[in-house]
Amino acid sequence: MAGGKLLTSDGRRVVLLSGGEVRTQQWEVLLMPDGTVSLRNVGGGGYLGYEGEPRADLPVVGRPEPVGWELRAGGEPGGYHVVVPRPGELALGVSELLVYPPRGALRPLMAGDGGQAWVFTLRE
C-alpha cells in the first residue's frame, strides 16, 4: 500500500503495520472456481474476509474459509484494488477509526486513490 504499510493478520484481526513478523505479512493469491481470488495469510492460514453482508466501514478480518475478491489494477504502478465482487463498489481500505494499529475495513472504492491500492510482491 502507498505509504509503506503492510497488511498483517494475527489470525483474526487484519491490521496495517510497517514492521512485524514477515510470515504474517505474506499473502497467497489463490484463484477460486468462480473467477475471483482469495487471499490466504501464510503465517496464520486464515483468509482475508469480512462477516455478514458487505457495507462501508465493515471490518476486514481473518476468516477460516476463502472469501472471493476481485483484483483491479489501479493506484501506483503495480498497485491493485482489492474489491468485493458485488454491486456497491467496496474495496479493502483503512478503517476511519482512530486506533493503533490501523485496521482494515471495507471502504467505498476510489479508483484514483493510491492510498487504497495494494502492491503485491512475488516471493519465491
Side-chain angles (χ1 to χ4, degrees), residues 40-112:
R40 189 182 79 80
N41 186 269
V42 172
Y47 295 87
L48 188 72
Y50 47 86
E51 295 179 349
E53 288 299 311
R55 66 180 189 285
D57 301 315
L58 186 67
V60 172
V61 297
R63 300 280 308 192
E65 68 282 334
V67 174
W69 299 88
E70 292 178 5
L71 295 181
R72 297 186 192 167
E76 60 188 81
Y80 291 88
H81 294 282
V82 180
V83 180
V84 175
R86 293 190 177 95
E89 296 293 294
L90 295 171
L92 172 61
V94 180
S95 172
E96 292 186 332
L97 292 175
L98 298 176
V99 296
Y100 183 84
R103 297 182 184 160
L106 296 180
R107 300 291 305 144
L109 176 63
M110 292 188 273

Short mmCIF file of all heavy atoms in Angstrom, two decimals, residues 40-112:
data_model
loop_
_atom_site.label_atom_id
_atom_site.label_comp_id
_atom_site.label_asym_id
_atom_site.label_seq_id
_atom_site.Cartn_x
_atom_site.Cartn_y
_atom_site.Cartn_z
N ARG A 40 -4.91 -15.75 1.21
CA ARG A 40 -4.64 -16.57 2.39
C ARG A 40 -3.37 -16.09 3.07
O ARG A 40 -2.33 -15.94 2.43
CB ARG A 40 -4.49 -18.04 2.02
CG ARG A 40 -4.43 -18.96 3.24
CD ARG A 40 -4.24 -20.41 2.85
NE ARG A 40 -2.86 -20.69 2.51
CZ ARG A 40 -1.87 -20.90 3.40
NH1 ARG A 40 -2.12 -20.84 4.68
NH2 ARG A 40 -0.65 -21.16 3.00
N ASN A 41 -3.46 -15.86 4.37
CA ASN A 41 -2.31 -15.43 5.13
C ASN A 41 -1.38 -16.62 5.37
O ASN A 41 -1.81 -17.65 5.89
CB ASN A 41 -2.74 -14.82 6.46
CG ASN A 41 -1.58 -14.24 7.22
OD1 ASN A 41 -0.97 -14.93 8.02
ND2 ASN A 41 -1.27 -12.99 6.94
N VAL A 42 -0.11 -16.50 4.97
CA VAL A 42 0.85 -17.59 5.08
C VAL A 42 1.12 -17.92 6.55
O VAL A 42 1.20 -19.08 6.93
CB VAL A 42 2.16 -17.24 4.34
CG1 VAL A 42 3.23 -18.28 4.60
CG2 VAL A 42 1.89 -17.11 2.85
N GLY A 43 1.24 -16.89 7.40
CA GLY A 43 1.58 -17.11 8.80
C GLY A 43 0.47 -17.74 9.60
O GLY A 43 0.67 -18.69 10.34
N GLY A 44 -0.75 -17.21 9.45
CA GLY A 44 -1.86 -17.68 10.26
C GLY A 44 -2.78 -18.67 9.57
O GLY A 44 -3.57 -19.35 10.20
N GLY A 45 -2.72 -18.74 8.24
CA GLY A 45 -3.55 -19.66 7.49
C GLY A 45 -4.95 -19.17 7.21
O GLY A 45 -5.67 -19.78 6.45
N GLY A 46 -5.38 -18.08 7.84
CA GLY A 46 -6.72 -17.56 7.61
C GLY A 46 -6.81 -16.79 6.29
O GLY A 46 -5.80 -16.47 5.67
N TYR A 47 -8.03 -16.52 5.89
CA TYR A 47 -8.29 -15.82 4.63
C TYR A 47 -8.79 -14.42 4.90
O TYR A 47 -9.55 -14.18 5.85
CB TYR A 47 -9.35 -16.57 3.82
CG TYR A 47 -8.89 -17.92 3.36
CD1 TYR A 47 -9.04 -19.04 4.17
CD2 TYR A 47 -8.30 -18.09 2.11
CE1 TYR A 47 -8.61 -20.29 3.75
CE2 TYR A 47 -7.86 -19.34 1.69
CZ TYR A 47 -8.02 -20.43 2.52
OH TYR A 47 -7.59 -21.66 2.10
N LEU A 48 -8.39 -13.48 4.06
CA LEU A 48 -8.87 -12.11 4.15
C LEU A 48 -10.36 -12.10 3.85
O LEU A 48 -10.80 -12.65 2.84
CB LEU A 48 -8.12 -11.24 3.13
CG LEU A 48 -8.36 -9.76 3.20
CD1 LEU A 48 -7.67 -9.18 4.43
CD2 LEU A 48 -7.84 -9.08 1.95
N GLY A 49 -11.15 -11.52 4.74
CA GLY A 49 -12.60 -11.53 4.52
C GLY A 49 -13.32 -10.56 5.44
O GLY A 49 -12.72 -9.65 6.01
N TYR A 50 -14.60 -10.80 5.59
CA TYR A 50 -15.47 -9.96 6.42
C TYR A 50 -16.63 -10.83 6.84
O TYR A 50 -16.84 -11.92 6.30
CB TYR A 50 -15.95 -8.72 5.64
CG TYR A 50 -16.45 -9.05 4.27
CD1 TYR A 50 -17.78 -9.43 4.05
CD2 TYR A 50 -15.59 -9.02 3.17
CE1 TYR A 50 -18.23 -9.77 2.78
CE2 TYR A 50 -16.04 -9.36 1.90
CZ TYR A 50 -17.35 -9.73 1.72
OH TYR A 50 -17.80 -10.08 0.47
N GLU A 51 -17.38 -10.38 7.83
CA GLU A 51 -18.52 -11.14 8.32
C GLU A 51 -19.81 -10.41 8.00
O GLU A 51 -19.90 -9.20 8.21
CB GLU A 51 -18.40 -11.36 9.83
CG GLU A 51 -17.21 -12.24 10.18
CD GLU A 51 -17.03 -12.46 11.66
OE1 GLU A 51 -17.69 -11.77 12.47
OE2 GLU A 51 -16.20 -13.31 12.02
N GLY A 52 -20.79 -11.13 7.47
CA GLY A 52 -22.07 -10.53 7.15
C GLY A 52 -22.09 -9.94 5.75
O GLY A 52 -21.19 -10.18 4.93
N GLU A 53 -23.13 -9.17 5.49
CA GLU A 53 -23.27 -8.51 4.19
C GLU A 53 -22.28 -7.36 4.10
O GLU A 53 -22.15 -6.58 5.04
CB GLU A 53 -24.70 -7.99 4.01
CG GLU A 53 -25.71 -9.10 3.77
CD GLU A 53 -25.41 -9.88 2.50
OE1 GLU A 53 -25.18 -9.27 1.44
OE2 GLU A 53 -25.42 -11.14 2.58
N PRO A 54 -21.58 -7.24 2.95
CA PRO A 54 -20.61 -6.16 2.82
C PRO A 54 -21.27 -4.79 2.84
O PRO A 54 -22.33 -4.59 2.25
CB PRO A 54 -19.94 -6.44 1.47
CG PRO A 54 -20.85 -7.36 0.75
CD PRO A 54 -21.67 -8.08 1.76
N ARG A 55 -20.64 -3.87 3.59
CA ARG A 55 -21.11 -2.49 3.67
C ARG A 55 -19.91 -1.62 4.05
O ARG A 55 -18.92 -2.11 4.58
CB ARG A 55 -22.24 -2.33 4.67
CG ARG A 55 -21.85 -2.58 6.09
CD ARG A 55 -23.00 -2.41 7.08
NE ARG A 55 -22.53 -2.45 8.44
CZ ARG A 55 -22.15 -3.52 9.11
NH1 ARG A 55 -22.18 -4.70 8.52
NH2 ARG A 55 -21.73 -3.44 10.36
N ALA A 56 -20.00 -0.35 3.79
CA ALA A 56 -18.92 0.58 4.12
C ALA A 56 -18.62 0.53 5.61
O ALA A 56 -19.53 0.44 6.44
CB ALA A 56 -19.29 1.99 3.69
N ASP A 57 -17.34 0.54 5.93
CA ASP A 57 -16.81 0.55 7.29
C ASP A 57 -16.89 -0.79 8.01
O ASP A 57 -16.53 -0.88 9.19
CB ASP A 57 -17.45 1.65 8.15
CG ASP A 57 -17.22 3.03 7.55
OD1 ASP A 57 -16.08 3.30 7.13
OD2 ASP A 57 -18.17 3.82 7.48
N LEU A 58 -17.33 -1.84 7.34
CA LEU A 58 -17.33 -3.17 7.94
C LEU A 58 -15.87 -3.61 8.10
O LEU A 58 -15.09 -3.52 7.15
CB LEU A 58 -18.09 -4.16 7.04
CG LEU A 58 -18.29 -5.56 7.59
CD1 LEU A 58 -19.23 -5.53 8.80
CD2 LEU A 58 -18.87 -6.47 6.51
N PRO A 59 -15.48 -4.09 9.30
CA PRO A 59 -14.09 -4.52 9.49
C PRO A 59 -13.71 -5.68 8.58
O PRO A 59 -14.52 -6.57 8.32
CB PRO A 59 -14.05 -4.95 10.95
CG PRO A 59 -15.20 -4.26 11.61
CD PRO A 59 -16.25 -4.16 10.54
N VAL A 60 -12.49 -5.66 8.11
CA VAL A 60 -11.91 -6.78 7.36
C VAL A 60 -11.19 -7.63 8.40
O VAL A 60 -10.42 -7.11 9.22
CB VAL A 60 -10.96 -6.28 6.26
CG1 VAL A 60 -10.22 -7.43 5.62
CG2 VAL A 60 -11.76 -5.52 5.21
N VAL A 61 -11.46 -8.93 8.37
CA VAL A 61 -10.94 -9.84 9.39
C VAL A 61 -10.36 -11.09 8.75
O VAL A 61 -10.54 -11.33 7.55
CB VAL A 61 -12.07 -10.24 10.39
CG1 VAL A 61 -12.58 -9.04 11.15
CG2 VAL A 61 -13.21 -10.95 9.67
N GLY A 62 -9.71 -11.90 9.56
CA GLY A 62 -9.27 -13.22 9.12
C GLY A 62 -10.44 -14.19 9.24
O GLY A 62 -11.16 -14.19 10.24
N ARG A 63 -10.64 -15.00 8.21
CA ARG A 63 -11.75 -15.97 8.17
C ARG A 63 -11.18 -17.37 7.99
O ARG A 63 -10.15 -17.54 7.35
CB ARG A 63 -12.68 -15.66 7.00
CG ARG A 63 -13.33 -14.28 7.00
CD ARG A 63 -14.49 -14.22 7.90
NE ARG A 63 -15.35 -15.36 7.53
CZ ARG A 63 -16.57 -15.53 7.93
NH1 ARG A 63 -17.11 -14.67 8.73
NH2 ARG A 63 -17.28 -16.57 7.58
N PRO A 64 -11.87 -18.40 8.50
CA PRO A 64 -11.37 -19.77 8.31
C PRO A 64 -11.59 -20.30 6.89
O PRO A 64 -10.92 -21.23 6.47
CB PRO A 64 -12.16 -20.58 9.34
CG PRO A 64 -13.40 -19.78 9.60
CD PRO A 64 -13.02 -18.33 9.38
N GLU A 65 -12.54 -19.71 6.15
CA GLU A 65 -12.84 -20.18 4.79
C GLU A 65 -12.52 -19.08 3.78
O GLU A 65 -12.54 -17.90 4.11
CB GLU A 65 -14.30 -20.61 4.67
CG GLU A 65 -15.31 -19.50 4.76
CD GLU A 65 -15.61 -19.01 6.18
OE1 GLU A 65 -15.44 -19.77 7.13
OE2 GLU A 65 -15.99 -17.83 6.30
N PRO A 66 -12.23 -19.47 2.53
CA PRO A 66 -11.91 -18.48 1.50
C PRO A 66 -13.07 -17.52 1.23
O PRO A 66 -14.23 -17.91 1.28
CB PRO A 66 -11.63 -19.31 0.25
CG PRO A 66 -11.40 -20.70 0.73
CD PRO A 66 -12.16 -20.84 2.02
N VAL A 67 -12.73 -16.28 0.96
CA VAL A 67 -13.68 -15.23 0.57
C VAL A 67 -13.23 -14.70 -0.78
O VAL A 67 -12.05 -14.41 -0.96
CB VAL A 67 -13.72 -14.10 1.62
CG1 VAL A 67 -14.59 -12.95 1.16
CG2 VAL A 67 -14.20 -14.64 2.96
N GLY A 68 -14.14 -14.59 -1.73
CA GLY A 68 -13.79 -14.13 -3.07
C GLY A 68 -13.64 -12.62 -3.16
O GLY A 68 -14.44 -11.87 -2.59
N TRP A 69 -12.60 -12.17 -3.86
CA TRP A 69 -12.31 -10.77 -4.12
C TRP A 69 -11.96 -10.60 -5.60
O TRP A 69 -11.55 -11.55 -6.24
CB TRP A 69 -11.10 -10.29 -3.31
CG TRP A 69 -11.23 -10.37 -1.83
CD1 TRP A 69 -10.92 -11.44 -1.04
CD2 TRP A 69 -11.68 -9.34 -0.95
NE1 TRP A 69 -11.15 -11.14 0.27
CE2 TRP A 69 -11.61 -9.85 0.36
CE3 TRP A 69 -12.12 -8.04 -1.15
CZ2 TRP A 69 -11.98 -9.10 1.47
CZ3 TRP A 69 -12.48 -7.30 -0.03
CH2 TRP A 69 -12.41 -7.83 1.26
N GLU A 70 -12.10 -9.40 -6.12
CA GLU A 70 -11.59 -9.05 -7.44
C GLU A 70 -10.36 -8.19 -7.26
O GLU A 70 -10.34 -7.33 -6.37
CB GLU A 70 -12.63 -8.25 -8.24
CG GLU A 70 -13.85 -9.03 -8.64
CD GLU A 70 -14.85 -8.16 -9.39
OE1 GLU A 70 -14.55 -6.97 -9.68
OE2 GLU A 70 -15.95 -8.65 -9.66
N LEU A 71 -9.35 -8.41 -8.08
CA LEU A 71 -8.18 -7.53 -8.10
C LEU A 71 -8.30 -6.64 -9.33
O LEU A 71 -8.44 -7.15 -10.45
CB LEU A 71 -6.88 -8.34 -8.16
CG LEU A 71 -6.57 -9.21 -6.95
CD1 LEU A 71 -5.22 -9.92 -7.15
CD2 LEU A 71 -6.56 -8.39 -5.68
N ARG A 72 -8.27 -5.34 -9.12
CA ARG A 72 -8.36 -4.38 -10.22
C ARG A 72 -7.13 -3.48 -10.19
O ARG A 72 -6.82 -2.88 -9.17
CB ARG A 72 -9.61 -3.52 -10.09
CG ARG A 72 -10.90 -4.30 -10.19
CD ARG A 72 -12.07 -3.36 -10.20
NE ARG A 72 -13.31 -4.09 -10.00
CZ ARG A 72 -14.47 -3.53 -9.72
NH1 ARG A 72 -14.54 -2.20 -9.61
NH2 ARG A 72 -15.55 -4.24 -9.56
N ALA A 73 -6.47 -3.39 -11.34
CA ALA A 73 -5.28 -2.53 -11.42
C ALA A 73 -5.67 -1.10 -11.09
O ALA A 73 -6.74 -0.62 -11.47
CB ALA A 73 -4.68 -2.60 -12.82
N GLY A 74 -4.80 -0.42 -10.35
CA GLY A 74 -5.07 0.96 -10.00
C GLY A 74 -4.04 1.52 -9.06
O GLY A 74 -3.21 0.79 -8.52
N GLY A 75 -4.09 2.82 -8.87
CA GLY A 75 -3.13 3.46 -7.99
C GLY A 75 -1.77 3.52 -8.63
O GLY A 75 -1.63 3.71 -9.83
N GLU A 76 -0.74 3.31 -7.84
CA GLU A 76 0.63 3.35 -8.34
C GLU A 76 0.92 2.16 -9.26
O GLU A 76 0.17 1.18 -9.24
CB GLU A 76 1.61 3.39 -7.17
CG GLU A 76 1.51 2.19 -6.26
CD GLU A 76 2.35 2.37 -5.01
OE1 GLU A 76 1.90 3.03 -4.08
OE2 GLU A 76 3.47 1.82 -4.99
N PRO A 77 1.98 2.23 -10.05
CA PRO A 77 2.31 1.09 -10.91
C PRO A 77 2.47 -0.19 -10.07
O PRO A 77 3.12 -0.17 -9.03
CB PRO A 77 3.65 1.49 -11.54
CG PRO A 77 3.65 2.98 -11.49
CD PRO A 77 2.90 3.35 -10.22
N GLY A 78 1.83 -1.24 -10.50
CA GLY A 78 1.87 -2.50 -9.77
C GLY A 78 0.86 -2.57 -8.64
O GLY A 78 0.80 -3.56 -7.93
N GLY A 79 0.04 -1.52 -8.49
CA GLY A 79 -0.94 -1.48 -7.42
C GLY A 79 -2.27 -2.08 -7.86
O GLY A 79 -2.63 -2.03 -9.03
N TYR A 80 -2.97 -2.67 -6.91
CA TYR A 80 -4.28 -3.28 -7.17
C TYR A 80 -5.26 -2.88 -6.08
O TYR A 80 -4.91 -2.81 -4.91
CB TYR A 80 -4.18 -4.81 -7.19
CG TYR A 80 -3.40 -5.33 -8.36
CD1 TYR A 80 -2.03 -5.49 -8.28
CD2 TYR A 80 -4.05 -5.65 -9.55
CE1 TYR A 80 -1.31 -5.96 -9.36
CE2 TYR A 80 -3.33 -6.13 -10.63
CZ TYR A 80 -1.96 -6.27 -10.53
OH TYR A 80 -1.25 -6.74 -11.60
N HIS A 81 -6.49 -2.67 -6.50
CA HIS A 81 -7.58 -2.50 -5.55
C HIS A 81 -8.14 -3.90 -5.29
O HIS A 81 -8.36 -4.67 -6.23
CB HIS A 81 -8.67 -1.59 -6.12
CG HIS A 81 -8.20 -0.19 -6.32
ND1 HIS A 81 -8.08 0.70 -5.27
CD2 HIS A 81 -7.82 0.47 -7.42
CE1 HIS A 81 -7.64 1.85 -5.74
NE2 HIS A 81 -7.47 1.74 -7.04
N VAL A 82 -8.36 -4.22 -4.03
CA VAL A 82 -8.95 -5.50 -3.62
C VAL A 82 -10.42 -5.20 -3.39
O VAL A 82 -10.79 -4.56 -2.40
CB VAL A 82 -8.24 -6.04 -2.36
CG1 VAL A 82 -8.86 -7.36 -1.93
CG2 VAL A 82 -6.74 -6.19 -2.61
N VAL A 83 -11.28 -5.67 -4.32
CA VAL A 83 -12.66 -5.22 -4.40
C VAL A 83 -13.63 -6.37 -4.11
O VAL A 83 -13.44 -7.50 -4.57
CB VAL A 83 -12.95 -4.64 -5.81
CG1 VAL A 83 -14.39 -4.16 -5.94
CG2 VAL A 83 -11.97 -3.53 -6.14
N VAL A 84 -14.70 -6.06 -3.35
CA VAL A 84 -15.78 -7.01 -3.12
C VAL A 84 -16.49 -7.22 -4.45
O VAL A 84 -16.87 -6.25 -5.11
CB VAL A 84 -16.78 -6.46 -2.07
CG1 VAL A 84 -17.97 -7.39 -1.91
CG2 VAL A 84 -16.08 -6.23 -0.74
N PRO A 85 -16.65 -8.48 -4.91
CA PRO A 85 -17.22 -8.73 -6.24
C PRO A 85 -18.75 -8.66 -6.27
O PRO A 85 -19.41 -9.58 -6.72
CB PRO A 85 -16.73 -10.13 -6.56
CG PRO A 85 -16.62 -10.79 -5.24
CD PRO A 85 -16.22 -9.71 -4.27
N ARG A 86 -19.29 -7.58 -5.78
CA ARG A 86 -20.74 -7.37 -5.78
C ARG A 86 -21.00 -5.91 -6.10
O ARG A 86 -20.13 -5.07 -5.92
CB ARG A 86 -21.32 -7.68 -4.40
CG ARG A 86 -21.23 -9.13 -4.00
CD ARG A 86 -22.05 -9.36 -2.73
NE ARG A 86 -22.04 -10.75 -2.36
CZ ARG A 86 -21.20 -11.27 -1.47
NH1 ARG A 86 -20.31 -10.53 -0.87
NH2 ARG A 86 -21.25 -12.56 -1.19
N PRO A 87 -22.22 -5.61 -6.49
CA PRO A 87 -22.55 -4.19 -6.68
C PRO A 87 -22.30 -3.41 -5.40
O PRO A 87 -22.40 -3.93 -4.31
CB PRO A 87 -24.05 -4.21 -7.01
CG PRO A 87 -24.32 -5.60 -7.48
CD PRO A 87 -23.34 -6.49 -6.77
N GLY A 88 -21.96 -2.15 -5.56
CA GLY A 88 -21.70 -1.31 -4.40
C GLY A 88 -20.29 -0.79 -4.38
O GLY A 88 -19.99 0.16 -3.67
N GLU A 89 -19.39 -1.42 -5.14
CA GLU A 89 -18.02 -0.93 -5.28
C GLU A 89 -17.34 -0.66 -3.94
O GLU A 89 -16.93 0.45 -3.63
CB GLU A 89 -17.99 0.33 -6.16
CG GLU A 89 -18.44 0.08 -7.58
CD GLU A 89 -17.48 -0.80 -8.36
OE1 GLU A 89 -16.35 -0.38 -8.63
OE2 GLU A 89 -17.88 -1.93 -8.71
N LEU A 90 -17.21 -1.71 -3.15
CA LEU A 90 -16.47 -1.63 -1.90
C LEU A 90 -15.12 -2.28 -2.07
O LEU A 90 -14.99 -3.29 -2.77
CB LEU A 90 -17.24 -2.33 -0.77
CG LEU A 90 -18.57 -1.70 -0.39
CD1 LEU A 90 -19.34 -2.60 0.57
CD2 LEU A 90 -18.35 -0.33 0.24
N ALA A 91 -14.11 -1.72 -1.41
CA ALA A 91 -12.75 -2.23 -1.55
C ALA A 91 -12.06 -2.27 -0.19
O ALA A 91 -12.46 -1.58 0.75
CB ALA A 91 -11.95 -1.33 -2.51
N LEU A 92 -11.01 -3.08 -0.12
CA LEU A 92 -10.18 -3.12 1.07
C LEU A 92 -9.52 -1.77 1.25
O LEU A 92 -8.87 -1.25 0.34
CB LEU A 92 -9.11 -4.21 0.91
CG LEU A 92 -8.02 -4.26 1.98
CD1 LEU A 92 -8.61 -4.53 3.36
CD2 LEU A 92 -6.98 -5.31 1.61
N GLY A 93 -9.72 -1.19 2.41
CA GLY A 93 -9.12 0.11 2.73
C GLY A 93 -8.75 0.16 4.19
O GLY A 93 -8.70 -0.87 4.87
N VAL A 94 -8.53 1.34 4.68
CA VAL A 94 -8.15 1.56 6.07
C VAL A 94 -9.34 2.12 6.83
O VAL A 94 -9.99 3.07 6.38
CB VAL A 94 -6.96 2.54 6.16
CG1 VAL A 94 -6.56 2.77 7.62
CG2 VAL A 94 -5.78 2.01 5.36
N SER A 95 -9.64 1.52 7.96
CA SER A 95 -10.74 1.99 8.81
C SER A 95 -10.52 3.44 9.20
O SER A 95 -9.38 3.88 9.40
CB SER A 95 -10.83 1.12 10.06
OG SER A 95 -11.76 1.66 10.97
N GLU A 96 -11.60 4.18 9.34
CA GLU A 96 -11.52 5.56 9.78
C GLU A 96 -11.45 5.68 11.30
O GLU A 96 -11.32 6.77 11.85
CB GLU A 96 -12.69 6.37 9.23
CG GLU A 96 -12.60 6.52 7.72
CD GLU A 96 -13.67 7.43 7.15
OE1 GLU A 96 -14.77 7.54 7.75
OE2 GLU A 96 -13.40 8.05 6.11
N LEU A 97 -11.53 4.54 12.01
CA LEU A 97 -11.40 4.56 13.47
C LEU A 97 -9.99 5.04 13.83
O LEU A 97 -9.01 4.62 13.22
CB LEU A 97 -11.60 3.17 14.05
CG LEU A 97 -13.00 2.57 13.96
CD1 LEU A 97 -12.99 1.14 14.48
CD2 LEU A 97 -13.99 3.41 14.74
N LEU A 98 -9.89 5.89 14.81
CA LEU A 98 -8.60 6.40 15.24
C LEU A 98 -8.02 5.49 16.31
O LEU A 98 -8.05 5.79 17.51
CB LEU A 98 -8.74 7.84 15.75
CG LEU A 98 -9.24 8.85 14.72
CD1 LEU A 98 -9.44 10.21 15.34
CD2 LEU A 98 -8.30 8.92 13.54
N VAL A 99 -7.53 4.32 15.87
CA VAL A 99 -6.95 3.32 16.76
C VAL A 99 -5.58 2.91 16.23
O VAL A 99 -5.28 3.11 15.06
CB VAL A 99 -7.85 2.07 16.89
CG1 VAL A 99 -9.18 2.43 17.53
CG2 VAL A 99 -8.06 1.41 15.54
N TYR A 100 -4.76 2.37 17.13
CA TYR A 100 -3.47 1.83 16.72
C TYR A 100 -3.42 0.37 17.12
O TYR A 100 -3.77 0.03 18.24
CB TYR A 100 -2.30 2.57 17.36
CG TYR A 100 -0.99 2.03 16.84
CD1 TYR A 100 -0.47 2.49 15.65
CD2 TYR A 100 -0.33 1.03 17.51
CE1 TYR A 100 0.70 1.98 15.14
CE2 TYR A 100 0.85 0.50 17.00
CZ TYR A 100 1.36 0.97 15.82
OH TYR A 100 2.50 0.45 15.30
N PRO A 101 -3.00 -0.50 16.23
CA PRO A 101 -2.64 -0.20 14.85
C PRO A 101 -3.89 0.03 14.00
O PRO A 101 -4.96 -0.44 14.34
CB PRO A 101 -1.89 -1.46 14.40
CG PRO A 101 -2.43 -2.56 15.25
CD PRO A 101 -2.80 -1.92 16.58
N PRO A 102 -3.72 0.76 12.89
CA PRO A 102 -4.87 0.96 11.99
C PRO A 102 -5.41 -0.39 11.53
O PRO A 102 -4.66 -1.34 11.37
CB PRO A 102 -4.26 1.73 10.81
CG PRO A 102 -2.99 2.29 11.31
CD PRO A 102 -2.51 1.37 12.39
N ARG A 103 -6.70 -0.45 11.32
CA ARG A 103 -7.35 -1.72 10.93
C ARG A 103 -7.87 -1.65 9.51
O ARG A 103 -8.20 -0.59 8.99
CB ARG A 103 -8.51 -2.00 11.88
CG ARG A 103 -8.04 -2.20 13.29
CD ARG A 103 -9.17 -2.52 14.22
NE ARG A 103 -8.64 -2.61 15.58
CZ ARG A 103 -9.36 -2.49 16.65
NH1 ARG A 103 -10.66 -2.30 16.55
NH2 ARG A 103 -8.81 -2.58 17.83
N GLY A 104 -7.97 -2.83 8.91
CA GLY A 104 -8.56 -2.94 7.59
C GLY A 104 -10.08 -2.85 7.67
O GLY A 104 -10.68 -3.31 8.64
N ALA A 105 -10.69 -2.25 6.65
CA ALA A 105 -12.15 -2.13 6.60
C ALA A 105 -12.57 -2.02 5.14
O ALA A 105 -11.78 -1.65 4.27
CB ALA A 105 -12.61 -0.89 7.38
N LEU A 106 -13.83 -2.35 4.89
CA LEU A 106 -14.38 -2.12 3.56
C LEU A 106 -14.70 -0.64 3.43
O LEU A 106 -15.33 -0.04 4.30
CB LEU A 106 -15.66 -2.94 3.35
CG LEU A 106 -15.50 -4.45 3.38
CD1 LEU A 106 -16.86 -5.13 3.16
CD2 LEU A 106 -14.49 -4.92 2.34
N ARG A 107 -14.22 -0.04 2.35
CA ARG A 107 -14.42 1.38 2.10
C ARG A 107 -14.94 1.54 0.67
O ARG A 107 -14.65 0.70 -0.19
CB ARG A 107 -13.09 2.14 2.24
CG ARG A 107 -12.44 2.03 3.62
CD ARG A 107 -13.19 2.76 4.72
NE ARG A 107 -13.35 4.15 4.30
CZ ARG A 107 -14.43 4.90 4.55
NH1 ARG A 107 -15.44 4.41 5.21
NH2 ARG A 107 -14.49 6.13 4.13
N PRO A 108 -15.70 2.60 0.40
CA PRO A 108 -16.12 2.84 -0.98
C PRO A 108 -14.88 2.92 -1.89
O PRO A 108 -13.89 3.55 -1.55
CB PRO A 108 -16.84 4.20 -0.90
CG PRO A 108 -17.31 4.27 0.52
CD PRO A 108 -16.23 3.59 1.33
N LEU A 109 -14.96 2.25 -3.03
CA LEU A 109 -13.85 2.21 -3.98
C LEU A 109 -13.60 3.60 -4.55
O LEU A 109 -14.52 4.26 -5.03
CB LEU A 109 -14.14 1.24 -5.11
CG LEU A 109 -13.10 1.18 -6.23
CD1 LEU A 109 -11.76 0.70 -5.70
CD2 LEU A 109 -13.58 0.28 -7.35
N MET A 110 -12.35 4.04 -4.48
CA MET A 110 -11.92 5.29 -5.11
C MET A 110 -10.76 4.92 -6.02
O MET A 110 -9.61 4.86 -5.58
CB MET A 110 -11.53 6.32 -4.06
CG MET A 110 -12.72 6.79 -3.24
SD MET A 110 -12.35 8.15 -2.15
CE MET A 110 -11.80 7.27 -0.72
N ALA A 111 -11.09 4.63 -7.28
CA ALA A 111 -10.12 4.07 -8.23
C ALA A 111 -8.86 4.92 -8.37
O ALA A 111 -7.79 4.39 -8.60
CB ALA A 111 -10.77 3.85 -9.58
N GLY A 112 -8.94 6.22 -8.22
CA GLY A 112 -7.77 7.07 -8.38
C GLY A 112 -6.98 7.27 -7.10
O GLY A 112 -5.96 7.95 -7.09
#
